[in-house]
Amino acid sequence: MVLILVGVLAVFAAPRFLAMNDLYARGFHDETLAYLRYAHKTAIAQRRTVCATFTGTNMGLTVAAVAGATSCGGTLIGPKGESPAAVSAKGGVSYSGTPISFGFNGLGQPIDNAGLVLGAVDLPLIQVTGASNSITVEPGTGYVHE
């Protein structure tokens, strides 16, 4: 009986444990989504620009020093209390193509580095390699969703 149970576990459970990149990809996707939502809400609550900067495996969030400024140079404390707020991939996971950096103004609208509100064609589609869903930022409202 024990051998049968071990055999069943080996057939069904072992492949799931060995496919850690899928788990890391989903976690990185979810964390990126949460941090972008946090950036959007922070921009509205503080009435300041919050910028999201991407590299192949990282996303960092910064905040404008004063309300109305379009450049971000200040440190934004993350939702877990970390300073600066950032998301880092692990286990060989990355963004599929580096998304363009953008920000949210005090109204929560997505903006470019010059402070201009982004339209639908200008907004980045954020995709994590190995994750099935992409992250979308809505023009006009800045709503972040899958």
Side-chain angles (χ1 to χ4, degrees):
M1 186 62 132
V2 172
L3 289 175
I4 292 172
L5 288 175
V6 169
V8 169
L9 284 175
V11 169
F12 294 106
R16 292 293 289 168
F17 288 117
L18 297 176
M20 293 304 288
N21 274 355
D22 293 342
L23 183 64
Y24 292 152
R26 185 59 194 189
F28 185 52
H29 171 271
D30 290 348
E31 196 170 14
T32 300
L33 178 66
Y35 272 65
L36 285 173
R37 286 178 174 164
Y38 175 75
H40 180 246
K41 302 299 181 200
T42 301
I44 294 169
Q46 294 184 8
R47 291 296 222 187
R48 290 200 242 169
T49 300
V50 175
C51 300
T53 306
F54 296 88
T55 64
T57 58
N58 298 311
M59 180 188 71
L61 299 177
T62 53
V63 65
V66 294
T70 57
S71 63
C72 298
T75 301
L76 180 64
I77 305 298
K80 297 184 284 185
E82 77 279 14
S83 177
V87 177
S88 296
K90 66 178 180 176
V93 177
S94 64
Y95 294 110
S96 336
T98 305
I100 62 164
S101 297
F102 68 98
F104 297 101
N105 64 16
L107 297 174
Q109 299 169 317
I111 59 172
D112 63 10
N113 291 336
L116 301 173
V117 176
L118 294 173
V121 295
D122 302 321
L123 285 168
L125 186 65
I126 303 160
Q127 179 68 45
V128 173
T129 304
S132 57
N133 297 334
S134 58
I135 299 171
T136 304
V137 179
E138 291 294 330
T141 62
Y143 177 65
V144 182
H145 62 91
E146 289 185 311

